[in-house]
Amino acid sequence: MILLDGKKTSADIKEEIALEVRELKGKGYKTPHLAAVIVGNDGASITYVNAKVKACERVGFESTLIRLSDETTEEDLLNEIAILNVDKDIDGFIVQLPLPKHIDEQKILMAINPDKDVDGFHPTNVGKMALNLPTFISATPFGILELLDRYNVETYGKHVVVLGRSHIVGSPMSILLSQKRKVGNATVTMCHSRTKNLKDITLQADIIIAAIGIPEFLKADMVKDHVTVIDVGITRLPDSSKRNGFRLVGDVAFKEVAEKAAFITPVPGGVGPMTIAMLLKNTLLACKRKNQN
Ligand code: GUN
């Protein structure tokens, strides 16, 4: 079994980005600049956004963190986005999800300038992704493609089973892996909460992408030998033995599935760290595109 080490791979990618940033600066180009907007006080979201900002510093990007209170109105947030959309110094920005209930998420995502949408959530960018046109691929699917690529996991003609149909992971992942691309050309089956005979399907999979948010859902008796397993799940389970009071659990019963797997991602340290590296990659791309114009 080979562990798909997202921590190490993301560190490699960040090093590559840092090198490119130094080269850009050396040639007199501007420093890439990412802004992140967060509304409210959700602990996990704050942790993620802080990690994104810290990663910017490490690779030599500039970053701006905009923290807005729980009471922020939809109009206030739209105003903030309008400012970021035209700010010449900001190459890309993200609005951390989930948003408080009183704010319409889709309306917010639609308001982001697609050229600065480094999350790749705007319908224009989702459409381009679906048509296999150059765009920002969202961080989690992009990170999974990169991980499969760097570990030379064969996808051509393989049967990939995607568990989950979310807009952020399951849906784009199933589209991307079926496309004609370097990591792609797979036969994809997408499963979700209404799928019947799920185990019959997962037992046929060469590669399983688990993105349903149910801790340790995928068990050893649901996979065949030499399967590749990508675990996107990351649930905080209360654990009084931990200093922070919780432990992170994926969608895969790691220990038992790892015994049958050819490749598998750990949780934490698998897909999670990759997403930040890919967000940085998209920001660098946004900056370089701007330089070209
Ligand atoms: N919440 C969980 N994942 C993400 C992400 O990739 N981007 C944003 N903006 N919010 C998230």
Side-chain angles (χ1 to χ4, degrees), residues 11 44 81 98 124 129-131 137 140 148 159 181 199 254 265 277:
I81 290 170
T124 296
M129 180 277 297
L131 294 171
I137 298 175
T140 307
L148 293 170
H159 185 196
R181 53 167 65 240
K199 189 173 158 184
F254 180 85
T265 59

Side-chain angles (χ1 to χ4, degrees), residues 202-224:
T202 55
L203 277 169
Q204 293 175 37
D206 301 306
I207 300 172
I208 299 176
I209 318 269
I212 43 174
I214 303 175
E216 300 184 334
F217 176 83
L218 190 77
K219 304 278 198 287
D221 67 350
M222 297 168 73
V223 305
K224 68 178 182 186

Side-chain angles (χ1 to χ4, degrees), residues 48 52 94-98 119 121 139-140 168 275:
Y48 288 144
K52 290 171 185 178
I94 63 159
V95 177
Q96 186 67 23
L97 305 177
D119 256 334
F121 291 165
T140 307
I168 296 187
T275 63

